Amino acid sequence: MMKKILVVLTNVDKYATKDEPTGLWLSEATHFIEEFDHNENVQIDLVSPNGGNVPIDPKSLGDSLDASTKAYFENESFMNKLKNTLKPSEVSASDYDAIYFTGGHGTMWDFPDNAELQALSRDIYEKGGVVSGVCHGVTALLNMKLSNGLLLVNDKKVSGFTNEEEEMAQQTKYVPFLLEDALRERASEYVKGSAYTSYVTTDGRVVTGQNPQSSKAVAESVKELLGL
């Protein structure tokens, strides 16, 4: 049976707090998608808060551009999909088995309070689907409420970009909040591994990865939950 996964990406191309570009951390999309790309029983659709173009953080194209991500970056078809993402209003939660929130600092501005993305996530989860995110993409889960009014992460163990990693990235004073602190306030438990090493937490049907290095492992956990 065909499984459908909705991958969510940011539209924000610049920090609101300084004159510097941001956007999607490219490998957080490509490493996840690659795990499903050659499975004919999986369909992946790309969506963003406003639809249309997804900017790429230039820093993710530097030393972080591994061979796999470079191949996607040079793939005209894939890049065209990034420039023409769907709007939330153009997709239906009933069609999807999982949703995955990619990161990049841009997500801190357009993910946490997006009602449409929260509704999609809630509906996918409540019909038995998987909700997942990596790095700053986990900001999308901060304020997502279930139909009973409780936050999704209220009784969940979660991970996400750490305060230490934010400090190492030299962005602490430029982000609107620290994700680790926000998760500690909302989730039943926040857990983390060593800085910039793959670390993933799976609690029921909620999968969260700590940093860019965790994207592939998040995909592997989602794949297992979907029975692929």
Side-chain angles (χ1 to χ4, degrees):
M1 182 181 293
M2 175 69 71
K3 299 289 187 181
K4 295 183 70 174
I5 302 172
L6 191 61
V7 173
V8 191
L9 315 106
T10 185
N11 295 121
V12 175
D13 63 358
K14 185 178 176 182
Y15 283 82
T17 49
K18 62 175 176 173
D19 187 18
E20 184 177 311
T22 183
L24 164 70
W25 196 268
L26 186 57
S27 67
E28 293 180 25
T30 60
H31 286 179
F32 180 91
I33 292 170
E34 185 177 35
E35 284 298 303
F36 302 95
D37 245 0
H38 303 295
N39 189 328
E40 62 183 14
N41 293 316
V42 177
Q43 177 180 322
I44 289 182
D45 293 330
L46 307 184
V47 67
S48 61
N50 299 324
N53 185 57
V54 170
I56 298 173
D57 191 319
K59 291 180 180 178
S60 73
L61 301 177
D63 294 338
S64 301
L65 195 62
D66 57 89
S68 168
T69 303
K70 185 174 186 288
Y72 277 93
F73 184 62
E74 294 175 348
N75 184 301
E76 184 177 350
S77 175
F78 175 73
M79 294 304 292
N80 189 54
K81 289 179 181 178
L82 282 187
K83 294 173 183 174
N84 296 278
T85 59
L86 298 164
K87 298 177 182 178
S89 60
E90 295 175 321
V91 299
S92 172
S94 62
D95 293 333
Y96 295 94
D97 302 282
I99 188 168
Y100 168 68
F101 290 93
T102 60
H105 280 94
T107 64
M108 301 194 79
W109 281 276
D110 64 350
F111 277 13
D113 298 310
N114 188 288
E116 290 181 300
L117 293 178
Q118 290 173 9
L120 280 170
S121 302
R122 179 198 66 226
D123 293 347
I124 289 171
Y125 183 77
E126 291 187 342
K127 75 180 187 70
V130 178
V131 173
S132 61
V134 74
C135 200
H136 291 95
V138 181
T139 60
L141 278 57
L142 286 175
N143 302 317
M144 199 206 104
K145 291 184 178 180
L146 301 174
S147 295
N148 61 12
L150 296 177
L151 293 171
L152 170 71
V153 299
N154 183 249
D155 64 345
K156 293 290 185 291
K157 180 186 292 186
V158 297
S159 188
F161 206 58
T162 68
N163 292 352
E164 178 188 8
E165 287 166 331
E166 202 70 83
E167 185 67 32
M168 292 171 68
Q170 300 181 328
Q171 303 301 333
T172 302
K173 66 181 181 179
Y174 299 113
V175 292
F177 57 89
L178 293 174
L179 180 55
E180 176 180 336
D181 290 350
L183 288 170
R184 287 187 184 280
E185 291 172 1
R186 294 165 173 80
S188 66
E189 185 178 354
Y190 172 84
V191 291
K192 60 182 177 180
S194 300
Y196 292 107
T197 61
S198 178
Y199 188 86
V200 173
T201 300
T202 300
D203 190 339
R205 289 177 285 108
V206 176
V207 183
T208 48
Q210 181 175 313
N211 46 40
Q213 290 75 15
S214 310
S215 307
K216 175 180 169 63
V218 170
E220 291 170 344
S221 292
V222 171
K223 185 187 296 185
E224 183 176 350
L225 287 169
L226 294 180
L228 295 170

mmCIF file of all heavy atoms in Angstrom, residues 7 29 36 57 69 73-74 87 162 171 179 182 207 218 220:
data_model
loop_
_atom_site.group_PDB
_atom_site.id
_atom_site.type_symbol
_atom_site.label_atom_id
_atom_site.label_comp_id
_atom_site.label_asym_id
_atom_site.label_seq_id
_atom_site.Cartn_x
_atom_site.Cartn_y
_atom_site.Cartn_z
ATOM 1 N N VAL A 7 6.590 16.630 3.749
ATOM 2 C CA VAL A 7 7.812 17.261 4.241
ATOM 3 C C VAL A 7 7.610 18.778 4.241
ATOM 4 O O VAL A 7 7.258 19.373 3.226
ATOM 5 C CB VAL A 7 9.025 16.885 3.357
ATOM 6 C CG1 VAL A 7 10.259 17.683 3.763
ATOM 7 C CG2 VAL A 7 9.304 15.386 3.468
ATOM 8 N N ALA A 29 16.600 18.127 4.708
ATOM 9 C CA ALA A 29 15.582 17.648 3.775
ATOM 10 C C ALA A 29 16.104 16.451 2.987
ATOM 11 O O ALA A 29 15.457 15.407 2.909
ATOM 12 C CB ALA A 29 15.174 18.765 2.820
ATOM 13 N N PHE A 36 13.722 7.382 1.443
ATOM 14 C CA PHE A 36 12.472 6.904 0.852
ATOM 15 C C PHE A 36 12.461 6.979 -0.676
ATOM 16 O O PHE A 36 11.564 6.442 -1.318
ATOM 17 C CB PHE A 36 11.290 7.733 1.383
ATOM 18 C CG PHE A 36 11.150 7.710 2.879
ATOM 19 C CD1 PHE A 36 11.707 8.710 3.660
ATOM 20 C CD2 PHE A 36 10.461 6.683 3.517
ATOM 21 C CE1 PHE A 36 11.585 8.701 5.044
ATOM 22 C CE2 PHE A 36 10.329 6.659 4.897
ATOM 23 C CZ PHE A 36 10.895 7.669 5.667
ATOM 24 N N ASP A 57 19.714 27.962 3.276
ATOM 25 C CA ASP A 57 20.741 28.638 4.062
ATOM 26 C C ASP A 57 22.090 28.447 3.375
ATOM 27 O O ASP A 57 22.530 27.307 3.183
ATOM 28 C CB ASP A 57 20.782 28.055 5.476
ATOM 29 C CG ASP A 57 21.642 28.870 6.430
ATOM 30 O OD1 ASP A 57 22.724 29.319 6.006
ATOM 31 O OD2 ASP A 57 21.249 29.044 7.589
ATOM 32 N N THR A 69 23.902 15.202 -0.491
ATOM 33 C CA THR A 69 23.170 16.469 -0.590
ATOM 34 C C THR A 69 23.576 17.228 -1.847
ATOM 35 O O THR A 69 22.741 17.880 -2.490
ATOM 36 C CB THR A 69 23.425 17.323 0.663
ATOM 37 O OG1 THR A 69 23.040 16.560 1.817
ATOM 38 C CG2 THR A 69 22.609 18.603 0.634
ATOM 39 N N PHE A 73 21.253 18.861 -4.730
ATOM 40 C CA PHE A 73 21.398 20.277 -5.061
ATOM 41 C C PHE A 73 21.615 20.473 -6.559
ATOM 42 O O PHE A 73 21.196 21.485 -7.139
ATOM 43 C CB PHE A 73 22.574 20.873 -4.278
ATOM 44 C CG PHE A 73 22.760 22.345 -4.459
ATOM 45 C CD1 PHE A 73 21.782 23.250 -4.071
ATOM 46 C CD2 PHE A 73 23.928 22.834 -5.038
ATOM 47 C CE1 PHE A 73 21.958 24.619 -4.241
ATOM 48 C CE2 PHE A 73 24.115 24.202 -5.210
ATOM 49 C CZ PHE A 73 23.132 25.090 -4.817
ATOM 50 N N GLU A 74 22.238 19.502 -7.195
ATOM 51 C CA GLU A 74 22.515 19.584 -8.632
ATOM 52 C C GLU A 74 21.430 18.921 -9.470
ATOM 53 O O GLU A 74 21.522 18.883 -10.697
ATOM 54 C CB GLU A 74 23.871 18.943 -8.923
ATOM 55 C CG GLU A 74 25.033 19.714 -8.294
ATOM 56 C CD GLU A 74 26.378 19.026 -8.474
ATOM 57 O OE1 GLU A 74 26.386 17.836 -8.878
ATOM 58 O OE2 GLU A 74 27.410 19.667 -8.202
ATOM 59 N N LYS A 87 1.091 24.889 -0.738
ATOM 60 C CA LYS A 87 0.611 25.614 0.433
ATOM 61 C C LYS A 87 -0.127 24.625 1.327
ATOM 62 O O LYS A 87 -0.680 23.626 0.834
ATOM 63 C CB LYS A 87 -0.353 26.727 0.026
ATOM 64 C CG LYS A 87 0.237 27.806 -0.852
ATOM 65 C CD LYS A 87 -0.843 28.803 -1.239
ATOM 66 C CE LYS A 87 -0.287 29.881 -2.155
ATOM 67 N NZ LYS A 87 -1.349 30.832 -2.588
ATOM 68 N N THR A 162 20.152 21.961 20.693
ATOM 69 C CA THR A 162 20.477 22.264 22.083
ATOM 70 C C THR A 162 20.996 23.693 22.262
ATOM 71 O O THR A 162 21.455 24.328 21.313
ATOM 72 C CB THR A 162 21.560 21.303 22.608
ATOM 73 O OG1 THR A 162 22.804 21.586 21.938
ATOM 74 C CG2 THR A 162 21.181 19.853 22.371
ATOM 75 N N GLN A 171 24.702 31.813 17.347
ATOM 76 C CA GLN A 171 23.425 32.432 16.995
ATOM 77 C C GLN A 171 22.543 32.686 18.214
ATOM 78 O O GLN A 171 21.402 33.138 18.062
ATOM 79 C CB GLN A 171 22.664 31.530 16.008
ATOM 80 C CG GLN A 171 23.415 31.207 14.741
ATOM 81 C CD GLN A 171 23.804 32.436 13.939
ATOM 82 O OE1 GLN A 171 23.157 33.474 14.006
ATOM 83 N NE2 GLN A 171 24.885 32.329 13.182
ATOM 84 N N LEU A 179 15.480 26.798 21.592
ATOM 85 C CA LEU A 179 14.591 25.658 21.420
ATOM 86 C C LEU A 179 14.659 24.692 22.603
ATOM 87 O O LEU A 179 13.624 24.198 23.056
ATOM 88 C CB LEU A 179 14.923 24.925 20.118
ATOM 89 C CG LEU A 179 14.065 23.704 19.804
ATOM 90 C CD1 LEU A 179 12.577 24.048 19.805
ATOM 91 C CD2 LEU A 179 14.484 23.105 18.467
ATOM 92 N N ALA A 182 12.565 26.070 25.374
ATOM 93 C CA ALA A 182 11.134 26.019 25.051
ATOM 94 C C ALA A 182 10.592 24.601 25.154
ATOM 95 O O ALA A 182 9.470 24.385 25.638
ATOM 96 C CB ALA A 182 10.895 26.573 23.645
ATOM 97 N N VAL A 207 8.602 11.539 16.550
ATOM 98 C CA VAL A 207 10.032 11.327 16.342
ATOM 99 C C VAL A 207 10.724 12.687 16.222
ATOM 100 O O VAL A 207 10.337 13.510 15.391
ATOM 101 C CB VAL A 207 10.303 10.513 15.062
ATOM 102 C CG1 VAL A 207 11.799 10.238 14.916
ATOM 103 C CG2 VAL A 207 9.513 9.211 15.056
ATOM 104 N N VAL A 218 16.225 10.060 11.863
ATOM 105 C CA VAL A 218 14.802 10.373 11.996
ATOM 106 C C VAL A 218 14.024 9.619 10.921
ATOM 107 O O VAL A 218 12.982 9.010 11.182
ATOM 108 C CB VAL A 218 14.541 11.889 11.885
ATOM 109 C CG1 VAL A 218 13.038 12.158 11.782
ATOM 110 C CG2 VAL A 218 15.107 12.626 13.092
ATOM 111 N N GLU A 220 14.847 6.906 9.407
ATOM 112 C CA GLU A 220 14.844 5.475 9.709
ATOM 113 C C GLU A 220 13.782 5.133 10.748
ATOM 114 O O GLU A 220 13.106 4.107 10.647
ATOM 115 C CB GLU A 220 16.231 5.045 10.187
ATOM 116 C CG GLU A 220 17.285 5.094 9.092
ATOM 117 C CD GLU A 220 18.702 4.892 9.605
ATOM 118 O OE1 GLU A 220 18.901 5.015 10.839
ATOM 119 O OE2 GLU A 220 19.606 4.638 8.791
#
